[in-house]
Amino acid sequence: MSARIVPVTTLDPAPAAASLAQRWNDVFVASTVATMGDDHDAWSLASRRAREESTSWEHRYLAAVEEGADGPDGARTVVAAAEIVLPRRDNLTLALVDLAVHPDHRRRGTGTLVLGHLIRLAQEAGRTTLVAETAYPSGGNDPGEPFLHAHGFEVGQTMHRNDLDVRSHPPREVPPIDGYAIETSTDDTRDEWLEDRAHLSRRMSTDAPVGDLDLAEEDWDADRVREQRDATRRSGRRAVESVARQLGTGRLVGFTQLQVPVAEPVLAYQQDTLVLREHRGHGLGQALKSANLRAAREVFPGLVTVRTWNAQENGPMIAVNEALGYRTTAIQREWQRRLG
């Protein structure tokens, strides 16, 4: 059967639209499970909804549905799910794409059909670079590699997914660091941190390794940090965040954040961690992560695993994580294609 591409929204409560959105997200989950098993990181529908509401990024959702394949409820079978993300404030040449074909409907040309549609959308928006992402278990092979190579993508960066068993590796007590103080919030980014956190997020886009990806400095202000904070809450996650304050100036010079799904607080997802380049060498990175992990375990005593991602060229952060007990469990790769 042939497939046609239809728009999807997670924001329409009408039964038909909500059903399509759920079945669309189910394809992402099924595709990820086929590669990663139950130890996957597929987005929840609530997270997709929070992302679609962003004003800093435009998220367009698409489904490939089979023509003439009505299910018992009259709904068309969703055979592929896709997303294109267009930054609105910075990196205006960039389009991020996510494409998943249901395992039961692969090798029928659907992936090529949907990718062609995503490329057209990117070109219509004036974007000249596509970035896609794949993930696979450590020691395995990347199942998306043949498809992406065949369509002109090259690896732009390789990331290691690292997991920490918090039951076997409790956070260490870190002695005070002269000239700095660590502050922790167990209820997301505090209002009084917003201005400095915006500066740190901007620096995160320039100081963290990006491999060969065509990424430029990001535009952050307090409103954007606040929007990100609110999106985390709407997605059903709770954030635990620690910051490093330089006592002499009173300014924040580093931060780290964990996000924990409230409905199932067993696995915590590490978000950005940064210590400004000019303040490195004092042990602030390890102090931040240790303080944040202690706070997360107090709030979520059933927490089992903390999961983080590190660029393979980011030796200092990998060393910090290994010292804390992290071990590599999967590989994530960022793929890039420059459009003619």
Side-chain angles (χ1 to χ4, degrees):
M1 296 183 183
S2 61
R4 63 186 177 91
I5 299 172
V6 299
V8 176
T9 179
T10 64
L11 305 179
D12 187 347
S19 173
L20 177 61
Q22 184 64 65
R23 289 179 288 118
W24 165 82
N25 197 63
D26 287 346
V27 171
F28 278 118
V29 175
S31 178
T32 306
V33 169
T35 301
M36 302 297 297
D38 291 335
D39 191 21
H40 65 81
D41 301 302
W43 290 98
S44 68
L45 186 61
S47 293
R48 299 277 187 187
R49 185 178 300 112
R51 286 157 60 87
E52 191 177 0
E53 292 173 328
S54 171
T55 61
S56 298
W57 305 72
E58 180 182 358
H59 293 261
R60 299 186 196 174
Y61 298 154
L62 304 164
V65 298
E66 278 195 340
E67 295 282 16
D70 288 348
D73 60 352
R76 297 294 171 106
T77 300
V78 178
V79 297
E83 173 185 19
I84 182 168
V85 184
L86 305 173
R88 287 171 163 158
R89 298 178 56 142
D90 47 52
N91 287 283
L92 300 181
T93 62
L94 184 68
L96 294 86
V97 295
D98 191 5
L99 168 60
V101 179
H102 193 283
D104 295 340
H105 298 275
R106 291 176 177 171
R107 293 175 174 80
R108 303 179 188 178
T110 305
T112 298
L113 171 71
V114 176
L115 179 59
H117 189 83
L118 294 173
I119 290 172
R120 288 192 294 275
L121 290 178
Q123 291 173 324
E124 290 169 2
R127 308 303 165 112
T128 56
T129 300
L130 297 182
V131 173
E133 183 179 286
T134 58
Y136 57 98
S138 180
N141 296 313
D142 187 347
E145 180 175 323
F147 177 82
L148 290 169
H149 269 317
H151 289 88
F153 286 81
E154 298 179 349
V155 177
Q157 188 173 42
T158 299
M159 313 281 287
H160 290 187
R161 192 190 79 178
N162 301 309
D163 286 357
L164 175 70
D165 183 340
V166 299
R167 299 164 301 181
S168 302
H169 297 85
R172 302 171 182 174
E173 288 290 338
V174 178
I177 299 174
D178 187 40
Y180 299 91
I182 305 297
E183 302 173 10
T184 300
S185 168
T186 57
D187 194 23
D188 216 329
T189 308
R190 297 175 184 168
D191 285 343
E192 60 266 30
W193 293 351
L194 290 175
E195 292 291 344
D196 279 358
R197 273 285 279 104
H199 174 69
L200 292 171
S201 291
R202 180 185 292 270
R203 286 286 296 271
M204 184 77 196
S205 70
T206 59
D207 290 12
V210 296
D212 296 324
L213 297 173
D214 291 340
L215 300 179
E217 180 177 310
E218 295 179 355
D219 177 25
W220 284 87
D221 57 20
D223 286 340
R224 185 171 181 178
V225 179
R226 186 181 291 107
E227 179 190 60
Q228 184 183 62
R229 179 184 68 185
D230 295 343
T232 299
R233 294 170 176 170
R234 292 195 306 273
S235 68
R237 293 185 175 189
R238 186 170 172 184
V240 179
E241 183 167 332
S242 292
V243 298
R245 187 181 301 279
Q246 185 183 30
L247 297 178
T249 64
R251 304 302 298 271
L252 303 186
V253 299
F255 77 104
T256 189
Q257 186 188 89
L258 287 172
Q259 292 184 6
V260 185
V262 175
E264 194 173 359
V266 177
L267 173 62
Y269 295 94
Q270 176 69 56
Q271 304 301 302
D272 289 341
T273 297
L274 176 74
V275 174
L276 293 178
R277 215 180 256 125
E278 54 270 30
H279 294 275
R280 294 176 184 170
H282 302 286
L284 289 172
Q286 188 163 342
L288 283 166
K289 287 204 164 189
S290 294
N292 217 44
L293 183 53
R294 283 197 302 275
R297 292 194 70 188
E298 290 175 3
V299 177
F300 302 104
L303 187 63
V304 174
T305 304
V306 175
R307 176 162 293 168
T308 188
W309 289 261
N310 300 113
Q312 67 177 6
E313 65 268 29
N314 192 353
M317 188 54 67
I318 289 174
V320 167
N321 285 333
E322 288 180 346
L324 292 170
Y326 283 86
R327 296 294 179 264
T328 300
T329 56
I331 304 298
Q332 178 178 301
R333 296 203 282 182
E334 307 293 331
W335 295 78
Q336 183 169 262
R337 173 178 168 179
R338 295 179 177 90
L339 301 177

